[in-house]
Amino acid sequence: MSEGSSSGFTLDLSDDVREMRDWVHEFAQNVMRPAAAEWDEREETPWPILAEASKIGLYSLDFFGGQWFEPTGLGTPVAFEEIFWGDAGIGLALTGTCLAAVAVTGSGTPEQIGEWVPQMFGSPGDVKLGAFCSSEPDAGSDVGAIRTRALYSEATDEWVLNGTKAWATNGGIADVHVVVASVEPALGSRGQASFIVPPGTRGLSQGQKFRKHGVRASHTAEVVLDDVRVPGRCLVGGKDRLDARLARLAGGQAGGEQAAMKTFEASRPTVAAMAVGVARAALDYARDYATQRVQFGKPIGQNQAIAFMLADMQASVDAARLLTWRAAWMARQGRKFTRAEGSISKLVAGETAVRVTEQAIQILGGNGYTRDYPVERMHRDAKIFTIFEGTSEIQRMIIGRAVTGLDVR
Ligand SMILES: Cc1cc2nc3c(=O)[nH]c(=O)nc-3n(C[C@H](O)[C@H](O)[C@H](O)COP(=O)(O)OP(=O)(O)OC[C@H]3O[C@@H](n4cnc5c(N)ncnc54)[C@H](O)[C@@H]3O)c2cc1C
């Protein structure tokens, strides 16, 4: 689509999106919020909440897929903002599967999408999870350094995976794992491919479960792959496509997009929307508190120092949301992020969430510093948004390259 050809631009949400937003908000308000502190303390996947979300159709391929393909592109950011307004830890437990689903829907064949993506969500009464495993102990920001190897066995038409993955959301407890591995190590990230590891495959096990600063209701763990054998049809996109890409690279031509990068690029505005949700939650709480807490005979919100802080918080949340919606809208219109718009949304929203949640603690004073009030948890949760799916430094690197046209390192 050429620039400027979309005459129907509007920031009004469609009736469908507004209805969906209100429905998700109700779940966030009535189910997630009351459970947030408990699951943060327990540091466990909130299975009963997932079951409830599955029962009403919120934790489902239908819901997330429906929002992903919503015509304006705003369905997903609106839904994710509401979910994370409810609670980020439970929110990540509810949405972590989506990254694995996007890895398959973005690059997989129709058969792979039909076979594996529904299995990642399960059904009401039998909830399942998906995990996307790219990061490794020695390959975080540097995705090209992935050491997990995938070797093809012609005789059995199987891929054999060996390696250790770090930081996998739902790692080891998911039914379907999508694993990024190196097929041609000499080609770095361009020699990588993604593999679906079906439920119950031998050789895949959970390593260390990480105890975290925030988003503690979301399970994060190492995944160990010890001679994991998966059928040839589990190579995402299929072998013909991989062979053609490797042949192009061997011939000195461009090989196309790299598997993990494609997944992260698509998910950046979605992660930005999560951060906007957390920032808005902290702003809401601090605003209400500032109108009620009285010191020196008047609500603290009557002091410019506090009102200006709230004004800055509101302005930054709105700005972050607009950047998020722009990126999501562009992605839905099939426009390329020529100025790194996806990274811009993630960078600004992530840093906004950290700043706004910190300001919220300041507004609550001593109360804000305790676990009796939710802004302390929101601040811990917010920090993840400057780290995962590309740190703020990596986003700046990508934006810097787009701005300068130089090979910024
Ligand atoms: C809760 C949680 C959930 C996660 N979920 C998943 C998941 O589901 N799947 C998955 O694959 N991964 C996941 N991750 C991993 C996450 O994406 C990585 O932690 C992230 O990419 C950073 O990698 P790293 O931790 O190895 O940090 P490093 O890459 O070691 O970075 C450390 C610091 O150095 C900086 N740095 C690195 N390189 C440069 C550079 N070139 N220029 C400037 N600064 C640089 C970074 O910005 C950072 O500040 C998750 C992580 C967490 C904490």
Side-chain angles (χ1 to χ4, degrees):
M1 194 185 227
S2 68
E3 192 112 347
S5 63
S6 179
S7 56
F9 180 81
T10 171
L11 283 171
D12 280 333
L13 297 177
S14 70
D15 289 347
D16 283 351
V17 173
R18 265 190 289 128
E19 223 171 88
M20 176 278 294
R21 177 196 62 194
D22 296 347
W23 177 69
V24 176
H25 185 83
E26 203 181 307
F27 184 81
Q29 170 96 63
N30 299 333
V31 182
M32 295 174 71
R33 285 236 162 151
E38 178 193 339
W39 292 99
D40 174 58
E41 287 296 333
R42 287 173 69 161
E43 296 195 50
E44 283 169 14
T45 300
W47 289 105
I49 313 272
L50 287 173
E52 228 170 309
S54 175
K55 204 166 70 190
I56 63 163
L58 198 159
Y59 182 74
S60 71
L61 174 58
D62 265 10
F63 175 70
F64 290 118
Q67 299 318 315
W68 192 256
F69 292 109
E70 189 279 324
T72 64
L74 301 185
T76 299
V78 166
F80 276 56
E81 180 179 331
E82 289 318 309
I83 292 171
F84 281 74
W85 176 88
D87 179 58
I90 298 175
L92 200 57
L94 275 170
T95 57
T97 296
C98 295
L99 197 58
V102 167
V104 176
T105 48
S107 308
T109 63
E111 292 74 28
Q112 289 172 330
I113 296 168
E115 179 170 7
W116 302 110
V117 181
Q119 290 194 51
M120 293 180 188
F121 290 92
S123 56
D126 190 20
V127 171
K128 306 285 188 206
L129 299 170
F132 178 70
C133 313
S134 169
S135 304
E136 297 184 358
D138 294 322
S141 302
D142 185 6
V143 175
I146 282 176
R147 285 206 207 134
T148 296
R149 274 305 304 269
L151 286 170
Y152 185 60
S153 157
E154 196 98 44
T156 55
D157 181 29
E158 282 177 324
W159 287 93
V160 185
L161 307 175
N162 277 291
T164 300
K165 293 294 177 182
W167 308 117
T169 299
N170 298 335
I173 61 168
D175 262 62
V176 180
H177 291 75
V178 180
V179 171
V180 181
S182 178
V183 180
E184 287 284 350
L187 293 174
S189 63
R190 293 172 309 163
Q192 295 169 356
S194 297
F195 298 86
I196 296 154
V197 182
T201 303
R202 279 194 11 215
L204 184 150
S205 59
Q206 184 187 305
Q208 175 193 177
K209 177 183 169 183
F210 297 101
R211 299 195 64 220
K212 306 194 297 293
H213 179 63
V215 287
R216 301 196 305 178
S218 166
H219 170 102
T220 319
E222 285 181 337
V223 172
V224 181
L225 302 144
D226 182 13
D227 270 337
V228 171
R229 304 180 88 85
V230 299
R233 68 189 165 83
C234 287
L235 164 63
V236 176
K239 190 150 188 317
D240 290 349
R241 207 198 294 171
L242 173 68
D243 288 344
R245 176 156 64 92
L246 295 177
R248 278 199 305 277
L249 286 165
Q253 293 169 265
E257 281 163 313
Q258 185 269 338
M261 284 304 152
K262 201 172 164 190
T263 303
F264 288 134
E265 191 62 26
S267 62
R268 268 177 202 138
T270 307
V271 178
M274 298 175 181
V276 172
V278 175
R280 191 184 111 212
L283 165 62
D284 284 356
Y285 202 91
R287 183 201 52 226
D288 291 351
Y289 189 91
T291 57
Q292 283 153 25
R293 168 74 175 166
V294 173
Q295 286 292 278
F296 299 101
K298 61 182 184 191
I300 57 168
Q302 265 184 23
N303 300 293
Q304 275 194 0
I306 301 293
F308 281 13
M309 203 158 20
L310 286 163
D312 286 343
M313 291 158 80
Q314 181 73 63
S316 344
V317 170
D318 284 6
R321 182 185 299 107
L322 281 171
L323 290 172
T324 302
W325 284 13
R326 175 178 73 167
W329 176 82
M330 287 179 73
R332 189 70 189 98
Q333 307 303 314
R335 299 190 184 205
K336 274 191 100 61
F337 292 149
T338 51
R339 296 197 188 93
E341 288 88 346
S343 289
I344 289 176
S345 69
K346 203 263 176 184
L347 171 69
V348 172
E351 300 203 337
T352 295
V354 173
R355 195 176 54 251
V356 165
T357 52
E358 206 233 301
Q359 288 169 316
I361 292 180
Q362 193 63 24
I363 290 172
L364 266 74
N367 282 337
Y369 200 62
T370 70
R371 296 206 175 179
D372 296 333
Y373 288 78
V375 291
E376 176 270 347
R377 185 181 65 252
M378 291 169 188
H379 185 49
R380 284 187 288 108
D381 290 345
K383 188 61 193 150
I384 193 57
F385 299 112
T386 67
I387 297 173
F388 72 0
E389 303 238 0
T391 63
S392 284
E393 291 73 25
I394 295 302
Q395 306 304 340
R396 286 194 169 88
M397 206 158 81
I398 296 168
I399 300 162
R401 284 178 193 153
V403 170
T404 63
L406 299 172
D407 184 19
V408 179
R409 294 273 142 200

